[in-house]
Amino acid sequence: MIILGIETSCDETAVSVCMDGKILSNIVGSQLIHSNFGGVVPEVASREHERLLNDLTVKAIDSAKISINVIDGIAVTNGPGLAGALLTGVSFAKGLAIGLGIEIVSINHLEAHIIANLLDRDDINYPFLCLLVSGGHTQLWLIKKMDDYTLLGETRDDAAGEAFDKGARILGLGYPGGPEIEKCAQFGDSNLVKFPRAFINSRTIEFSFSGLKTSLLYYMDSFQETNECTLNDVAASYQSAIIDCLVAKMKLATKLTSVNTISIAGGVAKNKFLRQSIDKNLSDKNIIFPDLKYCTDNAAMISYLGEKKFQMGKKTNLDFSIKPNFKNNLD
Ligand code: KG4
Ligand code: ZN
């Protein structure tokens, strides 16, 4: 089966071709224009998707070395995400499906992030736990099998990626903030500044990062860089507060569920300090790290999951709409 995947939920315009579980092409057009504004501007994102989609689709088909006529179905993200951005991808996908006379399946972006763990590897056994940490979400999921997921807990306010992005802005670093903070943190001492770690000792799976961000804001009000405490030390300490909370809840989830395989997903899953901390603190567990290129938004995860859905007999009626908001499940 050959499936074309389309992803436009935020600021990545991405198109991919998957054939029989193998990714033949994975084209991601990152919209660098948003770095001028220090964050994603929804209207700009929609216009950029519109500008890029056609060319990137041609590129994905060419680099997969297939002809457009052999595509069996289209998978497209319909949420959660920015409404306008989702609409451009969904409208484009519907038009293409009608033009080619093929079926379409709508894909939940968060489910795709989780299932990205299965890409390029067949050694993952169900059930497994997945910490999904992106710019918009921070959730811990129990994956019993494909299509059978339980949300164990999530953030009460900001997502971990959002904490990185807002923290970077306070520190005067660029966007997206995660990689910027990570860069500074490698030269800093993570024990120098004591930032709060909300819920870290609670017996519930929940996160909160808005207090941490406020605490950084107050700290920076009176901050003067010295040899004893540099901006790198602050970045390292801030990053460490986020990571400690994430890892503590991963540990708690393994205890509460007795599930010993754990994975991560989403943009923050790229962070090497997070990966090191998981390795260190969950060394007795079976840990799965997705390939770096499948952590941030991409369409490989959409085409791959789309193929699985088609194989399960799922398809979506053409009149489906977008679902910008997460509603407690991955439908
Ligand atoms: O999954 P993703 O590409 O888009 C969403 O679905 O939100 O995640 C983007 C988020 C941004 O908040 C970005 O700062 C964060 O992932 N991120 C990182 C790193 N790379 C990207 N956070 C921490 N460390 C990184 N290396
Ligand atoms: Zn994402």
Side-chain angles (χ1 to χ4, degrees):
M1 199 177 244
I2 301 184
I3 303 303
L4 183 80
I6 295 172
E7 156 64 39
T8 64
S9 65
C10 191
D11 59 340
E12 251 85 36
T13 315
V15 189
S16 160
V17 175
C18 177
M19 182 173 80
D20 301 333
K22 291 262 162 301
I23 299 302
L24 301 186
S25 65
N26 179 26
I27 309 290
V28 183
S30 296
Q31 303 179 1
L32 302 175
I33 188 170
H34 300 285
S35 57
N36 299 332
F37 307 103
V40 179
V41 182
E43 178 59 27
V44 174
S46 312
R47 287 178 194 277
E48 283 293 285
H49 288 311
E50 215 168 284
R51 188 176 70 79
L52 293 167
L53 261 173
N54 202 63
D55 286 355
L56 295 190
T57 302
V58 171
K59 218 168 163 183
I61 291 170
D62 284 352
S63 75
K65 299 194 171 50
I66 58 159
S67 132
I68 193 167
N69 301 314
V70 300
I71 296 170
D72 296 301
I74 296 182
V76 61
T77 306
N78 75 326
L82 302 170
L86 290 166
L87 263 179
T88 52
V90 166
S91 309
F92 181 84
K94 285 183 179 180
L96 201 55
I98 293 169
L100 294 172
I102 55 179
E103 303 285 2
I104 193 164
V105 67
S106 62
I107 299 289
N108 181 297
H109 181 80
L110 304 180
E111 181 180 7
H113 268 306
I114 294 168
I115 296 304
N117 274 287
L118 308 181
L119 276 161
D120 291 346
R121 53 190 303 167
D122 45 22
D123 59 338
I124 300 177
N125 293 321
Y126 297 103
F128 65 89
L129 296 163
C130 185
L131 173 77
L132 172 57
V133 266
S134 67
H137 299 87
T138 294
Q139 303 173 327
L140 245 163
W141 286 92
L142 170 61
I143 314 302
K144 292 178 212 152
K145 58 180 173 31
M146 178 75 69
D147 244 10
D148 189 354
Y149 316 116
T150 303
L151 180 62
L152 301 175
E154 62 180 331
T155 182
R156 284 193 180 194
D157 39 58
D158 292 351
E162 201 177 349
F164 272 105
D165 294 335
K166 289 178 175 169
R169 194 190 278 211
I170 295 169
L171 293 171
L173 305 171
Y175 179 87
E180 296 290 320
I181 288 187
E182 181 175 4
K183 248 186 264 160
C184 291
Q186 62 187 316
F187 305 110
D189 177 350
S190 61
N191 294 312
L192 221 55
V193 189
K194 299 282 170 249
F195 285 117
R197 285 148 169 80
F199 299 127
I200 194 151
N201 293 319
S202 78
R203 300 287 300 161
T204 52
I205 298 178
E206 56 188 327
F207 307 89
S208 167
F209 296 109
S210 71
L212 170 65
K213 172 197 65 194
T214 309
S215 151
L216 176 68
L217 193 66
Y218 287 148
Y219 182 83
M220 291 308 288
D221 265 352
S222 55
F223 175 73
Q224 293 283 343
E225 192 160 34
T226 61
N227 284 342
E228 282 70 48
C229 187
T230 65
L231 196 73
N232 291 339
D233 296 324
V234 182
S237 302
Y238 182 77
Q239 172 178 265
S240 172
I242 299 174
I243 291 176
D244 285 355
C245 295
L246 299 176
V247 175
K249 297 305 168 182
M250 289 175 90
K251 259 178 130 166
L252 178 63
T254 61
K255 257 197 207 128
L256 296 177
T257 60
S258 304
V259 171
N260 286 321
T261 301
I262 186 136
S263 66
I264 50 177
V268 181
K270 265 190 160 173
N271 188 286
K272 70 169 185 293
F273 293 91
L274 172 62
R275 290 177 177 229
Q276 281 163 4
S277 178
I278 293 170
D279 269 336
K280 191 168 143 218
N281 288 289
L282 290 145
S283 55
D284 56 335
K285 309 292 176 219
N286 177 24
I287 301 163
I288 300 153
F289 291 141
D291 193 298
L292 292 181
K293 65 177 178 293
Y294 298 140
C295 291
T296 35
D297 289 349
N298 65 86
M301 63 186 192
I302 307 299
S303 61
Y304 180 84
L305 179 58
E307 187 181 26
K308 299 263 177 245
K309 299 259 176 203
F310 278 122
Q311 284 165 348
M312 291 161 79
K314 298 201 168 179
K315 54 188 182 189
T316 315
N317 282 338
L318 262 177
D319 60 358
F320 72 90
S321 54
I322 55 163
K323 293 181 181 171
N325 300 315
F326 172 73
K327 294 259 168 54
N328 268 323
N329 62 48
L330 297 179
D331 293 340

